[in-house]
Amino acid sequence: MSEISGKLINFKYRVNPSVDWITIVCTEDTSFTINVDIATKETNCGIKAAPGIPSFSASGNAVQNVEPTASEGNYQDIKALIIAGTKVEFQYISAADAAQGFTEGEAINNYGNGYFGEVVANAAASSDGFLSFSWNFTGVGTLDDYDES
């Protein structure tokens, strides 16, 4: 059994038509959720069920990098996207791990479109306190498909 380190999982985004991905840097943790409502109906033939359309979202926590490179995203970048109401393409993807023999996206690869809906700054005055931030992202459209618009 082979495992992949959580340090190799990244949330990346770009604003179409850009081809350059921006990775949220200094990430402490992330999560990706896929939900689907299942409609059920009791009939004289038994329970019938039909799944709805899956919804998906992501969230995470990171330490603020004040001087990100052009390929790194931080609090200020996400804040600007929220204020502008900018739709982005995203990837929640595992990086390659040559030591374990994994290629990029082999462990996890979710992608599509959506919006950052929240960014929260957190500051601590303790000696190990850093300016950090939490973010939430809501997917729109079909998971594992990019809009062409």
Side-chain angles (χ1 to χ4, degrees), residues 61-85:
N61 297 292
V63 172
Q64 173 69 336
N65 180 353
V66 180
E67 298 179 325
T69 68
S71 64
E72 298 175 334
N74 67 5
Y75 173 89
Q76 293 295 92
D77 299 324
I78 295 171
K79 174 185 160 187
L81 291 168
I82 291 171
I83 290 170

Side-chain angles (χ1 to χ4, degrees), residues 3-149:
E3 295 84 21
I4 192 157
S5 170
K7 291 179 181 181
L8 296 175
I9 311 304
N10 294 301
F11 189 91
K12 301 178 180 187
Y13 64 90
R14 66 182 177 194
V15 178
N16 193 357
S18 176
V19 296
D20 298 322
W21 289 101
I22 297 168
T23 301
I24 299 177
V25 295
C26 302
T27 298
E28 295 177 70
D29 57 69
T30 60
S31 65
F32 194 91
T33 303
I34 304 167
N35 290 320
V36 65
D37 290 329
I38 308 294
T40 59
K41 187 84 163 170
E42 186 175 340
T43 73
N44 61 357
C45 298
I47 303 280
K48 301 297 179 184
I53 297 171
S55 63
F56 47 98
S57 61
S59 62
N61 297 292
V63 172
Q64 173 69 336
N65 180 353
V66 180
E67 298 179 325
T69 68
S71 64
E72 298 175 334
N74 67 5
Y75 173 89
Q76 293 295 92
D77 299 324
I78 295 171
K79 174 185 160 187
L81 291 168
I82 291 171
I83 290 170
T86 304
K87 185 182 197 181
V88 300
E89 295 177 339
F90 77 90
Q91 293 181 328
Y92 186 73
I93 191 166
S94 56
D97 185 350
Q100 294 290 331
F102 295 126
T103 59
E104 181 182 50
E106 188 173 356
I108 190 166
N109 186 11
N110 296 320
Y111 61 92
N113 301 281
Y115 296 90
F116 285 100
E118 180 180 56
V119 65
V120 178
N122 305 294
S126 61
S127 61
D128 64 346
F130 294 100
L131 174 59
S132 62
F133 65 98
S134 302
W135 55 270
N136 287 310
F137 182 87
T138 300
V140 297
T142 304
L143 182 61
D144 292 348
D145 191 22
Y146 294 121
D147 285 350
E148 297 302 320
S149 58

